[in-house]
Amino acid sequence: MTQIEAAKKGIITKEMEKIAKDEKISPNELRELVAQGKIVIPKNKNHDFPNVMGIGKKLRTKINANIGTSIDCPSIEREINKLKVAIEAGADSVMDLSTGGDLQAIREAILEHSTVMVGAVPIYAVAAKLAEQDIPTYKMDPDTLFKSIEEQCKQGIDYITVHCGVTKESVERMDRTDRVCGIVSRGGSILADWIRRNKKENPLYEYFDDLLEIAYKYDVTLSLGDGYRPGAIADATDRAQIDELIILGELAKRAREKNVQAMIEGPGHVPINQIEANILLEKRLCDEAPFYILGPLPTDIAPGYDHITSAIGGAIAGSVGADFLCYVTPAEHLCLPDEEDVYQGVIASKIAAHIADIAKGVPGAFERDLQMSKYRKELNWEGMFSLAIDPKKAREKFQKNRDINSCTMCGRLCAVKIDQKLPTI
């Protein structure tokens, strides 16, 4: 049975036991939240990995790192290196977004080497194969799409992004909007184009029950994709985005009824004053299903620094209830990220997630900062390094000092040392 099915029957699985211990929450409370669909445990029955985690209410904010080849850069070795960098930097998940090379071999390699959950977007594989044959994506055969979904689930993918909320009606509504950037989701654009040209319903929506059967068979978590996520802050929180969110909430309910785990994907580019409203809308419209967000990015004008932009948005979003942050790298909007981009993206997202966890009162989050402050008071450098989000970077910077007992910022005028030398009265 699936994790949510076991939870509904009062069974605490070994995965639930581990997560409850890691998250400092009672196993029974965790089980109840899984049964309600407010926590998901992405773990395919065919994929064994040590760091099984939960995503959702009362848990630590998780982060995902996207990796994957492109047609221009199809190297498996490079993606495995990115995978290792992402995990070493602290990613809780990776998604394979490959569109170039031997996609099945790439997935196999990532699943073999990953110690964390692995996600994918099945429609990418179908689109990539069509592109190799110079066939436009609007000629995609729905049966081929479902076969690819089953193949990837059978292979061991733990969660899949499926853009089920891009419907015939919603495409018509989208086409009547005055969006600046239109549709920026790759999966969303493929399906919208398919719907327009074929004048048929999105097969992922029309045959959603078939999709649920596949997901149930392998206990794959559905990540209900935001095909209409805004690609510009001017497009945020518009009718198309919210219309899709309503549909995704309905589909998430259907998934839970069929004992399939589901989470909701969200924006995107959102101005800072709209971030909280976006999170509250998702929680309300989707019965508190875990919310997986890209960024969000509260400004459009920082190419090369979008990991910082997304960390700002992610900290705010996480603090008001977002559960899962998809990292954004410095290469966003510019090129395929390299290993250093991946590293910077993960670290930025980890900072955002931890800031959010302090605000949410996640057990151990504030205490870590408190202990760091105590180490600083003691000038306990090794203690500080042990608690740093990026210990390697902290140590490298510290080693530039001339005096190992102080930093060159203040030297003899160190406030901490001066304060420690106050005379006893």
Side-chain angles (χ1 to χ4, degrees):
M1 70 184 84
T2 63
Q3 293 287 338
I4 188 172
E5 186 176 13
K8 287 178 182 179
K9 293 182 177 181
I11 299 170
I12 296 173
T13 65
K14 63 179 181 180
E15 290 82 10
M16 293 178 203
E17 289 179 353
K18 177 187 182 300
I19 292 165
K21 182 178 180 181
D22 292 344
E23 300 275 0
K24 299 179 176 63
I25 183 173
S26 79
N28 198 55
E29 183 177 14
L30 177 73
R31 180 201 59 75
E32 182 61 30
L33 290 168
V34 172
Q36 295 170 1
K38 296 176 183 179
I39 288 176
V40 296
I41 302 173
K43 184 187 180 305
N44 189 308
K45 292 180 178 179
N46 291 343
H47 185 208
D48 291 322
F49 57 98
N51 297 323
V52 178
M53 297 183 187
I55 300 168
K57 190 171 183 177
K58 296 193 175 183
L59 304 185
R60 179 173 60 83
T61 307
K62 306 305 187 298
I63 64 169
N64 170 67
N66 289 337
I67 60 174
T69 63
S70 69
I71 294 173
D72 295 325
C73 304
S75 170
I76 294 180
E77 292 74 17
R78 188 182 185 190
E79 297 313 309
I80 295 303
N81 287 337
K82 288 191 209 173
L83 169 69
K84 292 176 180 177
V85 167
I87 293 173
E88 287 171 4
D92 302 302
S93 160
V94 293
M95 285 197 82
D96 172 28
L97 307 186
S98 294
T99 56
D102 186 338
L103 301 185
Q104 184 164 346
I106 293 166
R107 282 194 301 274
E108 286 178 359
I110 290 173
L111 286 164
E112 179 184 350
H113 288 87
S114 181
T115 57
V116 298
M117 64 183 102
V118 178
V121 188
I123 199 170
Y124 287 4
V126 179
K129 190 170 184 179
L130 291 172
E132 284 180 1
Q133 302 170 30
D134 291 323
I135 299 173
T137 53
Y138 67 81
K139 292 189 177 181
M140 175 183 65
D141 177 12
D143 288 340
T144 301
L145 174 58
F146 277 87
K147 286 178 182 177
S148 182
I149 291 171
E150 172 125 32
E151 176 185 277
Q152 294 183 46
C153 290
K154 184 177 181 180
Q155 202 169 3
I157 294 296
D158 300 297
Y159 65 98
I160 56 171
T161 293
V162 278
H163 301 87
C164 306
V166 178
T167 66
K168 193 174 180 181
E169 182 180 355
S170 69
V171 168
E172 292 173 358
R173 184 173 290 111
M174 164 62 75
D175 291 342
R176 292 195 297 269
T177 68
D178 56 355
R179 272 197 170 192
V180 174
C181 276
I183 301 176
V184 299
S185 161
R186 185 187 297 169
S189 67
I190 291 170
L191 286 165
D193 185 54
W194 189 93
I195 291 167
R196 291 188 193 106
R197 292 176 181 273
N198 293 286
K199 302 188 185 307
K200 294 181 180 179
E201 185 55 273
N202 176 358
L204 294 175
Y205 179 76
E206 184 175 4
Y207 305 110
F208 188 67
D209 286 337
D210 294 343
L211 179 61
L212 292 179
E213 287 183 14
I214 296 171
Y216 176 83
K217 184 177 180 180
Y218 302 99
D219 198 0
V220 169
T221 299
L222 296 183
S223 186
L224 297 173
D226 51 340
Y228 297 142
R229 71 170 181 267
I233 62 171
D235 297 336
T237 327
D238 67 357
R239 290 187 185 90
Q241 179 194 334
I242 303 307
D243 180 51
E244 181 183 31
L245 184 60
I246 293 170
I247 295 169
L248 297 184
E250 294 169 349
L251 294 178
K253 182 179 180 180
R254 286 173 58 185
R256 289 190 289 267
E257 290 171 351
K258 294 290 186 179
N259 292 318
V260 172
Q261 300 184 94
M263 56 185 170
I264 310 295
E265 293 189 13
H269 292 241
V270 182
I272 204 164
N273 60 315
Q274 294 181 27
I275 291 175
E276 183 173 5
N278 272 261
I279 307 304
L280 294 177
L281 275 170
E282 186 275 342
K283 292 298 178 180
R284 176 64 175 161
L285 297 174
C286 304
D287 300 313
E288 293 191 84
F291 201 15
Y292 175 27
I293 60 173
L294 177 61
L297 289 84
T299 184
D300 302 333
I301 63 168
Y305 297 91
D306 276 327
H307 59 312
I308 298 174
T309 305
S310 69
I312 295 169
I316 295 168
S319 71
V320 293
D323 307 287
F324 194 20
L325 307 180
C326 185
Y327 85 163
V328 177
T329 77
E332 187 77 9
H333 303 109
L334 301 171
C335 64
L336 190 72
D338 60 19
E339 287 89 336
E340 180 60 23
D341 293 324
V342 168
Y343 186 82
Q344 292 294 331
V346 171
I347 293 298
S349 284
K350 280 183 68 66
I351 294 170
H354 180 71
I355 291 170
D357 288 347
I358 294 172
K360 287 193 281 194
V362 171
F366 174 77
E367 290 76 11
R368 180 174 175 180
D369 285 66
L370 180 61
Q371 186 59 53
M372 174 66 91
S373 298
K374 291 178 179 178
Y375 283 148
R376 283 179 173 155
K377 178 66 175 177
E378 299 165 0
L379 296 178
N380 181 342
W381 302 104
E382 289 301 322
M384 288 184 247
F385 300 150
S386 71
L387 292 178
I389 283 179
D390 187 350
K392 181 181 176 183
K393 174 72 76 174
R395 190 179 294 277
E396 286 176 355
K397 291 293 183 184
F398 179 73
Q399 289 175 343
K400 293 183 179 181
N401 293 311
R402 293 187 293 272
D403 181 355
I404 201 65
N405 294 313
S406 66
C407 71
T408 51
M409 174 66 77
C410 298
R412 294 182 181 180
L413 297 179
C414 173
V416 174
K417 286 186 176 180
I418 292 171
D419 188 52
Q420 288 174 344
K421 292 180 180 178
L422 287 172
T424 303
I425 298 176

